[in-house]
Amino acid sequence: MEEAIRVLLTLEQPSGLYVASVTPDYQYVWIRDTCYVSLLYLEQSEGRYERIYHALLDLFKKYRWKIAFHAQRRPRAAYEYIHPRYDPDRLEELQEPWGNAQNDAIGLFLYGIGEGLRQGKWILRDESDRELVQLLVQYLANLEFWHDADNGMWEEQAEIHASSIGACVAGLLAVAPYVTVDTSVLRRGMHALIELLPRESATKECDLAQLSLVYPYQLLPRDLARRVVRQIEQQLLREKGVIRYVGDQYFHENGKEAQWSLGLLWLGLCYLTFDDVVKAVSYLQWTEQVMPTPGVLPELYGGRSGMPNSHTPLAWAQAFYALLSSKVMGGSAQKEVAVGLAPPMHS
């Protein structure tokens, strides 16, 4: 676990945000990846969690005009959505065409804000921070996220995704005690989610992204949550990881889908929400058995070759490993993690 944390911290930027990996095409700050990394720090008191969300709030403030505009006028093209990734130095939008409609990233960001506040962290520094969060709430409502076809967690074709709807609902629920959230929007979102489940979308019966509905969001009734997890285990679980969905073409090898490292860890974290520590430990040990190097997690392994791809290490996979390790090892491990995560000094 210590090595995993050390490796993760090599991806931290002076801003407190994280690049996804070390290869040129992944040396960007993704909102989603950084927010998932932040979960490692949620129960720590060293200030890294706050630094992440202060940096993200400042990043969004650069585009407050855009968020405010589309909180009133629904985006019509992908580039009009809030961008999901940014230059790590300037913290500005990347202009190349991308699957920018990623509602799940905004929902996850709001969830992180709300969870931090719930745990007493100093997330909202002033009224301008609160106003920005309120604008993001209005942005999602104006999108009518419950039937908005977005590019989803995997940044692919635009569809209505259960994982994106769930992220938005969870995010809005999390910030509802601190800003104004229209309850009718929440009802529409939850109704659309239940109507779509257990499918992820019109083209995908199930998807690795659906694990987010169980962890961290814990949004579903226990029986439905277990059904989602079992479906992913039955259809997507492989020898070295979890494929994202049947027929995934990203890094596929001769028709075999790539196996994502973080999938095993994500399943373990889901089982902890069911209070099944034995199952969680089994997924942690499984992950350790297939690591290419102790404490280092790639984005994925080839479906046929079983070899890791070049996006090694992957920031949020590293964080999930450290997080699951600390949770299953108990209080002494939490202290060890806290010591290892003392914030670095930046000039």
Side-chain angles (χ1 to χ4, degrees):
M1 181 173 64
E2 290 180 0
E3 178 63 14
I5 295 169
R6 186 193 67 77
V7 171
L8 173 63
L9 294 180
T10 66
L11 303 174
E12 186 184 32
Q13 303 299 293
S15 63
L17 304 180
Y18 288 76
V19 293
S21 192
V22 295
T23 52
D25 57 332
Y26 265 41
Q27 285 183 333
Y28 302 119
V29 170
W30 265 267
I31 300 300
R32 178 188 306 101
D33 296 44
T34 291
C35 288
Y36 273 121
V37 167
S38 78
L39 296 174
L40 176 61
Y41 310 133
L42 181 58
E43 297 180 11
Q44 307 302 330
S45 59
E46 284 66 38
R48 264 200 169 87
Y49 192 87
E50 293 91 331
R51 288 182 69 235
I52 285 173
Y53 283 94
H54 292 164
L56 288 174
L57 284 163
D58 290 342
L59 183 157
F60 282 138
K61 284 179 183 178
K62 292 184 177 183
Y63 300 97
R64 186 187 184 282
W65 60 270
K66 177 178 180 178
I67 298 169
F69 182 78
H70 290 296
Q72 300 297 325
R73 180 179 175 181
R74 191 173 179 177
R76 298 178 180 177
Y79 72 87
E80 294 180 311
Y81 283 75
I82 299 173
H83 282 212
R85 62 181 192 141
Y86 296 80
D87 177 274
D89 300 315
R90 296 178 289 109
L91 293 180
E92 294 179 355
E93 292 178 350
L94 300 171
Q95 296 303 311
E96 65 180 288
W98 200 258
N100 289 324
Q102 297 180 33
N103 300 343
D104 72 292
I106 305 305
L108 176 60
F109 172 75
L110 291 177
Y111 176 83
I113 291 281
E115 278 296 289
L117 290 170
R118 188 177 68 83
Q119 296 206 22
K121 295 185 180 296
W122 182 56
I123 302 295
L124 301 180
R125 298 160 293 182
D126 52 33
E127 190 57 31
S128 68
D129 282 351
R130 189 179 302 276
E131 288 175 354
L132 183 68
V133 172
Q134 186 68 67
L135 278 176
L136 289 170
V137 168
Q138 293 170 223
Y139 169 83
L140 288 181
N142 188 53
L143 277 179
E144 299 183 355
F145 67 86
W146 53 92
H147 59 192
D148 186 56
D150 78 331
N151 298 113
M153 186 177 291
W154 311 129
E155 306 178 325
E156 296 186 332
Q157 72 183 66
E159 291 187 282
I160 298 173
H161 294 93
S163 56
S164 292
I165 296 172
C168 294
V169 171
L172 293 173
L173 283 170
V175 298
Y178 313 104
V179 296
T180 301
V181 176
D182 186 341
T183 55
S184 69
V185 167
L186 287 170
R187 285 197 301 270
R188 290 188 181 99
M190 202 64 201
H191 178 75
L193 176 61
I194 298 301
E195 283 287 304
L196 185 52
L197 288 172
R199 296 191 68 88
E200 163 67 358
S201 67
T203 66
K204 298 178 181 67
E205 183 176 354
C206 70
D207 190 301
L208 174 60
Q210 290 177 291
L211 292 183
S212 63
L213 305 174
V214 182
Y215 178 85
Y217 302 139
Q218 299 189 54
L219 197 58
L220 306 179
R222 181 62 63 94
D223 288 348
L224 182 54
R226 286 186 176 276
R227 181 179 177 184
V228 167
V229 170
R230 283 197 303 269
Q231 182 171 267
I232 288 170
E233 288 178 314
Q234 291 167 1
Q235 298 189 32
L236 307 183
L237 185 58
R238 300 292 188 268
E239 181 182 354
K240 286 193 170 185
V242 181
I243 67 172
R244 298 189 301 180
Y245 54 86
V246 174
D248 184 9
Q249 295 299 297
Y250 181 71
F251 274 93
H252 72 106
E253 294 177 345
N254 298 321
K256 289 288 187 179
E257 302 94 339
Q259 305 172 37
W260 283 61
S261 307
L262 60 82
L264 299 175
L265 299 163
W266 212 335
L267 283 166
L269 290 165
C270 288
Y271 272 101
L272 285 181
T273 71
F274 304 148
D275 300 316
D276 190 336
V277 178
V278 172
K279 194 72 170 179
V281 169
S282 73
Y283 275 116
L284 177 64
Q285 293 173 338
W286 187 345
T287 302
E288 291 172 340
Q289 290 168 3
V290 300
M291 281 181 177
T293 304
V296 178
L297 288 117
E299 178 182 48
L300 54 82
Y301 301 96
R304 284 196 182 276
S305 68
M307 298 299 293
N309 73 346
S310 60
H311 302 146
T312 304
L314 187 72
W316 58 318
Q318 295 292 137
F320 272 21
Y321 174 64
L323 182 60
L324 182 59
S325 298
S326 67
K327 285 181 177 293
V328 301
M329 290 169 63
S332 60
Q334 292 283 1
K335 293 178 183 178
E336 184 179 294
V337 170
V339 171
L341 297 178
M345 299 297 292
H346 293 301
S347 57

